[in-house]
Structures are given as C-alpha cells and as structure tokens.
Amino acid sequence: MGSMSEYIQQTEATDGIRFSWNTWPASRLDAAQLVVPVSCLYTPMKEREDLPPISYDPVICTRCRGILNPFCQIDVRSKSWTCCLCASRNTFPPQYAGMTEQNLPAELMPQFTTLEYTITKAPAPPP
C-alpha cells in the first residue's frame, strides 16, 4: 500500500468506518484546539464475506472496557496485553494459554480490524 490516503480509503471500504480525523489528539490542549470534534461514522451491518465466526466473548480491558484488537500491544511470553486506548496492562484469559506468535486469535490479526462476536453471556449493566 502506497500512501496514508490509500490506507484510509482501504480501511473505510473494508470496515465501513470513517473518522473525522485520522490522528488522535496527543494532549488535552490539542483536543481543546480542534475545530471539528473527533467523531466516527460506522456502518454496523456492512457485509464482509471474509470474517471468521467468533463464538466467544471479546476480551475486555479491566480499566476502560476497550476490546482486544490488532492495535493493542501483546506479550506472548507473559500472556498479557496493553490496551491501545488507556495503556493499561491486562492478562489474557486461560483459554489463550496456547497462543503463540504463529498462532494468534482472529482479534489480533491485522486483516480483522472489525469482527462480529456471538456473545455467550448477558452483557453487564453500565457502571
């Protein structure tokens, strides 16, 4: 892929998501100086033929409730991951014990930035 513009267009076509900005503000001052708010337009029912079936609950950050994704940093040896939203370190659940660099779950593969989970338990009420 050549330029950032091509990458953004490809992501929009693949995932059905478009942001008002392509960078996140680095500080509160940067965020306060934005004329256009950081926002997202998402196409929830976008058809994707290449998605694997995910029949388990997503792995959630203990601090911000963000979901494990390809943008999170992972440490396979210590079976932990760092949330890309709040930088909190989390441990993988026991079912990820067999994970290796060559055997990653779908939510950590770069081609699957959007996934559809089949939730097995009722969602927790908001705090």
Side-chain angles (χ1 to χ4, degrees):
M1 196 160 297
S3 68
M4 182 60 138
S5 176
E6 291 172 347
Y7 172 75
I8 292 168
Q9 289 174 353
Q10 159 103 42
T11 302
E12 289 175 3
T14 304
D15 294 332
I17 189 166
R18 174 178 280 212
F19 287 92
S20 59
W21 293 95
N22 296 317
T23 60
W24 196 259
S27 67
R28 286 183 189 234
L29 179 62
D30 289 346
Q33 292 175 340
L34 289 177
V35 177
V36 177
V38 176
S39 59
C40 172
L41 178 64
Y42 184 67
T43 309
M45 302 302 270
K46 178 155 179 63
E47 293 291 325
R48 293 238 354 228
E49 302 297 324
D50 63 335
L51 291 179
I54 308 295
S55 57
Y56 51 85
D57 293 330
V59 178
I60 298 174
C61 175
T62 55
R63 183 173 175 198
C64 74
R65 301 189 52 82
I67 295 176
L68 179 64
N69 62 73
F71 301 107
C72 296
Q73 294 178 348
I74 63 166
D75 184 354
V76 177
R77 294 181 70 197
S78 68
K79 303 293 186 223
S80 65
W81 61 284
T82 304
C83 179
C84 60
L85 300 173
C86 71
S88 176
R89 195 161 179 88
N90 299 276
T91 57
F92 283 108
Q95 61 266 31
Y96 285 72
M99 181 178 65
T100 65
E101 293 278 344
Q102 295 76 31
N103 182 24
L104 293 174
E107 59 264 37
L108 292 174
M109 295 181 185
Q111 67 267 31
F112 300 129
T113 52
T114 296
L115 288 174
E116 292 185 24
Y117 289 91
T118 302
I119 305 296
T120 58
K121 61 182 178 184

